[in-house]
Amino acid sequence: MAVDQVDPTNRGPAAAIASNKPKHPEPAAANGVEKGALKKEEITEKVAILDCGAQFGKVIDRRVRESDVYCEMFPLTTKASELQEKGFNAIILSGGPNSVFATDALVYDPALFTCGLPILGICYGFQMINKEFGGFVGKQQIREDGQTEISVDVSSPLFAEHNAKELVLLTHGDSVTKDTVAKDFKVIATSNHLVAGIANDEKKIYGVQFHPEVDLTEKGRTLFTNFLFNICGFSGSYNMDNREEMCIREIQEIVGEKKVLVLVSGGVDSTVCAALLHKALGKDRVTAIHIDNGFMRLNESVDVVKSLNDLKMDVHHYTCTDQFMNAKIEDSDGNWVLMTEAVEPEHKRKMIGDTFIHCNVEELHLDADMFLAQGTLRPDLIESASALASGHADTIKTHHNDTKLVRELREQGKVVEPLKDFHKDEVRELGESLGLPGAIVHRHPFPGPGLAIRIICTKQVFKCGDFDATQEKLTWMCNVWKLTAEQKAENPEIEKFLQHLSDDETAFLKKQDFELVPTLLPIKTVGVQGDCRSYSYATALSTDQRPIPWAFLSYYAKMIPKMLHNINRVVYVFGDKMEQPVTDVTPTVISETSVSKLQQADRSANDALRGIGVDGETVEGLENCLSKIQQMPVILVPLHFDRTNETPSTHHSICLRPFITNDFMTGIAAVPGVDLPEATVLEMVNRVKSTVPEISRVMIDLTSKPPGTTEWE
């Protein structure tokens, strides 16, 4: 590949990610039985998915189901004999956050690998296979958390119809090298110096280090098709019942003759849930309420209630700002934490989730004759490590619809969640089939905790003992182009860094001829690295180079977390390059002032994204870009850049987070000039700076998911 053709960001086309739809070959009828005519007891093609704690475990289930093959999820401890007795014909081992060589490594039945069933191991499952057959898995200097180009052996049946070079999602710390591959297994994919796929064709056992189930893996669906049809020999004879009918049947069976209270935020999940309830039970048995928690966008609640009432949902509106602002929670040490003092995002999330339940009980007297309905999705449960989705997943963040109180209500059998097996894009399709308007079906998601989790709260700087050393590494890493041979020779870490670069990356970095200033920020953000939750540093990049070098910035946003594992987020700071480090923070908590400041910034940025002015009218020459991305959190960050005195600061900065995704489990940052017009992004920056008081700088988040989550908390 020529240097000019290199995509240094390793990003697939944004449009393909955003509009990716299930595609698989039309399966033939099995044994003369027409597609859709099979009864459950007649199913002869069945896949067992063994859960190793993957964040994307349920997406595997969905990919198999899309191929018209029946599947079920089981704990990893399930015996091979049990699977065979139940008639399963193949096994998929999911990813997970653990290490196969840890003292508390997950327990499994070794007979899984000798029972003769075809096996596909993904990420942790790949490492299990390599270890089980005598290979080795170990930590390397480099970890991979993001979309990466790999080389594949297209002669392997697993990679039929693939390209020799493909983009995949890698997210792991432990790795397999060519020297540590298990005996009798051949390498069928590589990621630079690391192994990304192994195979034993005779045993029909295959392992891939990447995640084929997510949209960030370009040919993931093709890989599943190859495994299911070419390797396992399935015909695709199973067709699921209409999912809308399944949801309605589930609601009717759970609720019986009782009534339901449903919480509606105005987003697609809760609106589709409410629409299903109305269709299943009738309007008289469904009470829909919208609670304004005080953390909504500017005028959000008024607009939401009006739009839902226009759909004849008869939504009751309650303002409970005081209850949420005065919420409290007991921490692990037995101390009470107030909402207005909280700095830990998990405390805020749990307080808000529990307060929603308390408000429902107080306002509507939720009792034994009424169920609580929620638009909970599968990703919510996975990221919250709910037992409904996974027995081993790491908690990335507690969703407001999966707090302790909600789980207690579930145990009492009082919660109805008809969408718990759905992902965001599937809910959109269901909403369309229910006849909901496009303005609601395709609305950008807004988190239940609202702006409260988009205000980064802190009272002191976050600096571990590695802060200065990390800053030093960042400085030379972002300016390798100007290092002398002597400087490289004097620092062994620089040499190791250069050895991990591909030829294309090396050629690309040689084209850099400007200074890039990386600034390690003394705050924490939430990320997901190696299927685990991380809560660590963010890095800000700045430069005087114009035009803004987005290709280089995007490259470093990918490379920095890959090389420095204590960093999970990279942003670009608009304006002149940073002349001095950030050594303190602006003390920030949830308050009327901080909420109001973020509401103004959010309104200014989103109006510019829609191409409208402060008067609500269309601005000539400014494009409506709402449909180009799937989400754009606006974050209030407790940092005052360019400080000139030592007086306590009241200034904050704002970070824009335009994000492109289809499955809402993974995604890429929208890059100005590539995915969004640069003019639109600069207009957002200018409006925030000119309309919101005490704003220091505006940033844009360039981090994909993983390693950074969509939200910062």
Side-chain angles (χ1 to χ4, degrees):
M1 184 183 291
V3 173
D4 289 342
Q5 296 175 311
V6 172
D7 175 12
T9 62
N10 281 336
R11 301 170 68 253
I17 293 175
S19 62
N20 203 358
K21 297 293 183 182
K23 295 178 182 178
H24 55 82
E26 185 66 27
N31 303 321
V33 181
E34 291 185 3
K35 183 180 170 184
L38 286 177
K39 296 180 181 179
K40 188 171 182 179
E41 59 269 20
E42 298 173 327
I43 298 170
T44 58
E45 300 174 349
K46 301 163 70 173
V47 176
I49 302 170
L50 300 190
D51 174 31
C52 304
Q55 294 298 320
F56 313 130
K58 193 58 184 177
V59 191
I60 302 172
D61 168 273
R62 174 179 160 192
R63 292 292 173 252
V64 176
R65 186 175 66 239
E66 286 172 353
S67 297
D68 292 331
V69 174
Y70 180 84
C71 61
E72 287 185 41
M73 293 190 72
F74 295 93
L76 181 59
T77 52
T78 305
K79 298 287 187 182
S81 57
E82 181 182 344
L83 297 178
Q84 290 177 304
E85 288 171 5
K86 292 181 177 180
F88 284 89
N89 319 95
I91 297 170
I92 296 178
L93 304 170
S94 82
N98 301 286
S99 171
V100 295
F101 280 103
T103 55
D104 57 349
L106 302 179
V107 177
Y108 61 89
D109 179 9
L112 294 171
F113 300 100
T114 58
C115 67
L117 297 183
I119 296 176
L120 173 62
I122 296 172
C123 197
Y124 185 87
F126 154 80
Q127 296 175 4
M128 281 177 58
I129 292 171
N130 196 60
K131 176 179 178 292
E132 177 65 25
F133 286 93
F136 183 77
V137 182
K139 285 194 179 297
Q140 303 293 319
Q141 179 186 1
I142 189 170
R143 70 170 294 123
E144 297 180 301
D145 281 301
Q147 202 176 33
T148 303
E149 186 178 73
I150 65 170
S151 300
V152 304
D153 178 0
V154 295
S155 68
S156 169
L158 192 66
F159 290 122
E161 304 300 323
H162 282 244
N163 302 315
K165 300 278 189 180
E166 289 192 345
L167 292 178
V168 301
L169 175 69
L170 284 159
T171 170
H172 65 105
D174 291 356
S175 303
V176 176
T177 65
K178 292 179 181 179
D179 295 333
T180 60
V181 173
K183 184 181 178 182
D184 297 329
F185 277 77
K186 62 181 179 181
V187 176
I188 57 173
T190 57
S191 171
N192 288 331
H193 308 287
L194 302 177
V195 173
I198 58 175
N200 184 314
D201 294 324
E202 182 180 354
K203 295 180 182 292
K204 292 188 177 183
I205 298 179
Y206 300 83
V208 291
Q209 180 65 81
F210 57 90
H211 289 277
E213 67 271 31
V214 302
D215 287 329
L216 287 183
T217 295
E218 289 183 322
K219 288 274 193 174
R221 287 180 171 86
T222 304
L223 186 146
F224 278 106
T225 295
N226 289 338
F227 178 70
L228 296 171
F229 295 94
N230 297 347
I231 294 169
C232 299
F234 292 161
S235 61
S237 57
Y238 175 72
N239 184 256
M240 293 282 279
D241 291 338
N242 181 278
R243 299 192 76 187
E244 179 182 324
E245 294 176 359
M246 292 174 64
C247 291
I248 291 172
R249 185 165 61 247
E250 178 184 357
I251 291 169
Q252 292 171 338
E253 289 175 353
I254 292 175
V255 176
E257 298 301 317
K258 295 181 179 180
K259 295 183 178 182
V260 173
L261 168 80
V262 58
L263 308 179
V264 289
S265 67
V268 61
D269 307 335
S270 60
T271 304
V272 168
C273 180
L276 283 170
L277 291 165
H278 277 77
K279 189 168 183 177
L281 305 174
K283 182 179 178 181
D284 293 341
R285 295 171 59 199
V286 179
T287 299
I289 70 169
H290 172 81
I291 291 179
D292 182 355
N293 58 10
F295 309 133
M296 305 295 286
R297 289 183 171 126
L298 201 61
N299 301 324
E300 177 97 350
S301 287
V302 173
D303 295 338
V304 162
V305 172
K306 181 182 183 305
S307 66
L308 294 180
N309 281 338
D310 288 344
L311 297 176
K312 312 300 182 186
M313 287 194 178
D314 192 23
V315 178
H316 302 272
H317 179 197
Y318 297 94
T319 299
C320 300
T321 304
D322 290 342
Q323 290 95 314
F324 283 89
M325 197 63 80
N326 293 315
K328 61 182 180 179
I329 190 172
E330 190 174 9
D331 66 16
S332 57
D333 296 324
N335 301 314
W336 286 98
V337 179
L338 305 179
M339 176 65 75
T340 52
E341 296 178 355
V343 295
E344 292 294 330
E346 280 291 281
H347 288 158
K348 289 191 288 185
R349 285 179 172 275
K350 290 176 179 178
M351 276 188 275
I352 291 169
D354 287 349
T355 305
F356 268 121
I357 302 300
H358 288 310
C359 287
N360 294 328
V361 172
E362 293 169 7
E363 298 288 356
L364 288 158
H365 308 293
L366 186 64
D367 55 31
D369 294 323
M370 183 171 280
F371 286 84
L372 172 68
Q374 297 189 131
T376 310
L377 303 191
R378 177 61 50 171
D380 301 343
L381 298 172
I382 293 173
E383 291 189 328
S384 300
S386 171
L388 288 180
S390 172
H392 302 291
D394 196 59
T395 302
I396 303 303
K397 56 189 177 186
T398 298
H399 285 258
H400 71 286
N401 47 21
D402 193 40
T403 64
K404 181 180 178 181
L405 274 179
V406 173
R407 293 181 180 186
E408 289 175 356
L409 288 171
R410 281 198 195 107
E411 291 177 0
Q412 298 170 23
K414 293 175 68 66
V415 181
V416 183
E417 294 168 299
L419 303 177
K420 63 183 178 298
D421 286 321
F422 284 71
H423 288 255
K424 181 72 69 175
D425 56 317
E426 294 177 302
V427 175
R428 295 193 196 282
E429 293 177 15
L430 182 56
E432 290 175 346
S433 73
L434 287 167
L436 296 177
I440 288 181
V441 171
H442 295 287
R443 185 173 186 257
H444 282 192
F446 187 63
L451 299 179
I453 58 157
R454 293 180 178 175
I455 298 172
I456 308 301
C457 296
T458 186
K459 296 178 182 177
Q460 60 186 14
V461 298
F462 170 62
K463 282 189 175 183
C464 295
D466 59 357
F467 188 91
D468 292 338
T470 302
Q471 177 63 66
E472 181 181 346
K473 293 176 184 177
L474 281 169
T475 300
W476 60 251
M477 188 181 297
C478 291
N479 294 281
V480 167
W481 65 276
K482 67 176 184 179
L483 295 178
T484 65
E486 290 76 16
Q487 288 174 312
K488 294 176 184 178
E490 291 172 359
N491 190 335
E493 291 196 65
I494 296 178
E495 186 62 29
K496 288 182 181 179
F497 169 71
L498 294 174
Q499 289 174 356
H500 284 296
L501 298 179
S502 68
D503 292 341
D504 288 339
E505 289 173 327
T506 300
F508 175 73
L509 288 180
K510 285 182 178 179
K511 299 174 69 176
Q512 183 179 345
D513 59 358
F514 59 89
E515 183 183 10
L516 185 62
V517 179
T519 303
L520 194 60
L521 303 178
I523 58 172
K524 293 187 285 187
T525 77
V526 172
V528 53
Q529 296 172 287
D531 274 349
C532 293
R533 177 186 189 271
S534 64
Y535 194 29
S536 197
Y537 297 121
T539 296
L541 304 178
S542 62
T543 180
D544 286 336
Q545 178 75 2
R546 298 293 181 271
I548 299 171
W550 293 113
F552 283 97
L553 295 171
S554 298
Y555 171 80
Y556 283 112
K558 170 181 171 291
M559 176 56 71
I560 288 171
K562 186 176 179 180
M563 296 299 298
L564 302 176
H565 307 164
N566 55 350
I567 296 172
N568 60 26
R569 198 173 299 273
V570 179
V571 303
Y572 169 67
V573 183
F574 290 93
D576 297 337
K577 71 178 182 182
M578 303 291 298
E579 297 290 352
Q580 55 190 10
V582 181
T583 58
D584 64 357
V585 295
T586 301
T588 303
V589 292
I590 298 295
S591 66
E592 290 184 8
T593 301
S594 60
V595 172
S596 176
K597 185 181 286 191
L598 183 52
Q599 283 178 332
Q600 293 177 64
D602 180 87
R603 168 59 66 87
S604 296
N606 275 282
D607 281 353
L609 181 69
R610 290 173 169 82
I612 60 176
V614 293
D615 56 359
E617 298 296 323
T618 301
V619 176
E620 185 176 354
L622 196 60
E623 186 180 351
N624 182 351
C625 297
L626 193 64
S627 63
K628 292 182 180 292
I629 58 176
Q630 282 66 59
Q631 203 165 355
M632 192 180 75
V634 178
I635 318 299
L636 186 72
V637 184
L639 297 175
H640 185 176
F641 295 95
D642 315 306
R643 291 288 299 280
T644 58
N645 57 59
E646 298 299 323
T647 59
S649 173
T650 58
H651 282 60
H652 293 85
S653 290
I654 292 293
C655 190
L656 310 173
R657 175 61 159 148
F659 195 66
I660 297 170
T661 180
N662 180 54
D663 56 26
F664 286 86
M665 290 293 288
T666 61
I668 60 174
V671 177
V674 180
D675 309 308
L676 286 174
E678 188 179 50
T680 296
V681 176
L682 294 178
E683 178 67 17
M684 288 192 276
V685 173
N686 292 335
R687 287 207 198 171
V688 170
K689 287 281 289 181
S690 62
T691 60
V692 185
E694 298 185 319
I695 294 299
S696 169
R697 294 254 197 158
V698 179
M699 303 172 281
I700 186 168
D701 192 337
L702 298 174
T703 320
S704 293
K705 178 184 179 181
T709 48
T710 310
E711 302 284 353
W712 279 41
E713 289 195 340

